[in-house]
């Protein structure tokens, strides 16, 4: 069974800071890794999907990296804004199966 | 607009009263899945479906049933709900296999908050 861990569980930063969210997984035989954002009481919004053959994926101020061999992914947020405040989740499927495993998330608060 | 819809969004019911939460997607996705989200436990997969008439258990299937008679719909059935099924439920879909084990983005519905008294 895949174990997915996200550190830190919560993070509070002033506006404008660059920050890094971490996701680690125990089974490195993955097809891809997906980062999501969840606002309170809302559904999940896909941010970035990194295929197993990729090392990085970028979208605007977001950059996600993937190191399969070490079982880690990072989500880099540049020049954080109060609107970035949300919970960020990572998810991985298991190779040859169709199950997905989620981390518990990092709750981000960006202070104006 | 491409989307996953769930109904109802909120439901309060009593123990033992059968209920169905509907899920529908308009993106012609092969893969659909149900998750529950609980504080401290994160998102856990209940059931998934690779295509019409193909379903399988996730990590927490006990007390739930699903069916996939049409590609766009994937209802979640609780035959005899119990208080420990009080949770926030999400349906998701993606393009699925695409000729191999190639998983693409999962798109999520808005969630259904279920309370079982």
């Amino acid at each position: 069974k895949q174990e997915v861990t996200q550190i830190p569980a919560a993070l509070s930063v002033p506006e404008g800071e660059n920050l890094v969210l971490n996701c680690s997984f125990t089974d490195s035989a993955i097809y891809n890794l997906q980062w999501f954002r969840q606002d309170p009481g809302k559904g999940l919004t896909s941010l970035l999907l990194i295929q197993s053959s990729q090392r990085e994926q970028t979208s605007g101020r977001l950059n996600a990296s993937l190191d399969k061999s070490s079982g880690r992914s990072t989500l880099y947020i540049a020049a954080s804004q109060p609107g970035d405040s949300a919970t960020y989740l990572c998810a991985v499927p298991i190779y040859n199966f169709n199950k997905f495993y989620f981390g518990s998330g990092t709750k981000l608060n960006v202070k104006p | 607009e491409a989307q996953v819809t769930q109904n109802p969004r909120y439901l309060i019911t009593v123990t033992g009263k059968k209920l169905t939460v509907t899920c529908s997607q308009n993106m012609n996705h092969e893969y659909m899945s149900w998750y529950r989200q609980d504080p401290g436990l994160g998102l856990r997969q209940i059931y998934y479906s690779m295509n019409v008439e193909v379903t399988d258990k996730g990590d927490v299937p006990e007390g739930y049933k699903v069916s996939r008679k049409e590609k766009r719909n994937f209802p979640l059935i609780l035959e005899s709900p119990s208080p420990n099924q009080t949770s926030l439920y999400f349906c998701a879909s993606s393009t699925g296999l695409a000729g191999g084990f190639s998983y693409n983005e999962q798109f999520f519905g808005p969630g259904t908050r279920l309370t079982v008294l």
Side-chain angles (χ1 to χ4, degrees), chain B residues 68-101:
Chain B
R68 188 90 181 273
K69 293 184 169 56
E70 306 166 281
K71 200 171 187 179
R72 64 183 292 127
N73 296 322
F74 190 45
L76 179 70
I77 303 156
L78 285 72
E79 295 269 2
S80 183
S82 62
N84 65 11
Q85 292 178 298
T86 292
S87 187
L88 180 57
Y89 291 86
F90 289 103
C91 179
S93 72
S94 76
T95 53
L97 290 182
F101 286 102

Side-chain angles (χ1 to χ4, degrees), chain A residues 1 31-32 34 36 38 41-44 46-47 49 51 89 91 93-94 96-104, chain B residues 9 31 35 37 40-43 45 48 50 57-59 88 90 97 101-106 108-110 113:
Chain A
K1 179 182 173 180
Y31 278 105
N32 61 40
Q34 192 169 358
F36 294 89
Q38 185 177 23
K42 300 287 180 65
L44 278 69
S46 178
L47 297 173
L49 175 74
Q51 300 292 350
L89 298 151
I94 290 288
N96 224 27
F97 292 90
N98 305 298
K99 295 182 179 180
F100 286 80
Y101 293 92
F102 282 77
S104 293
Chain B
R9 295 289 314 282
Y31 182 91
Y35 299 88
Q37 186 176 35
L41 296 175
L43 273 143
Q45 195 167 23
Y48 61 91
M50 296 301 297
K57 297 177 182 178
D59 275 352
L88 180 57
F90 289 103
L97 290 182
F101 286 102
S102 173
Y103 300 96
N104 293 311
E105 276 185 282
Q106 282 197 88
F108 277 74
R113 187 167 293 280

